[in-house]
Amino acid sequence: MTIKLTVSSMVCDACANSVTKAIHTVDSDATVNIDLNTKVVTVEATASESALRAAIAKAGHTTES
Ligand SMILES: [Cu+2]
């Protein structure tokens, strides 16, 4: 399942890395693609969207609805 999330708090590669790590804590096999310009995170994962959002929030980042 492909899930697209907008993570407005990402500003640099370090942010992108922590978001990627957060996603991998809920689904270690997830494929994560991040576009820092649009702040869109595309995730190919079996985890639910709400689980991904919760993990990203835990890492200190903000997802938009
Ligand atoms: Cu950053």
Side-chain angles (χ1 to χ4, degrees), residues 46-57:
T46 51
S48 69
E49 180 173 336
S50 58
L52 295 176
R53 283 181 187 274
I56 292 168

Side-chain angles (χ1 to χ4, degrees), residues 3 24 52 54 61:
I3 298 165
H24 283 149
L52 295 176
H61 284 280

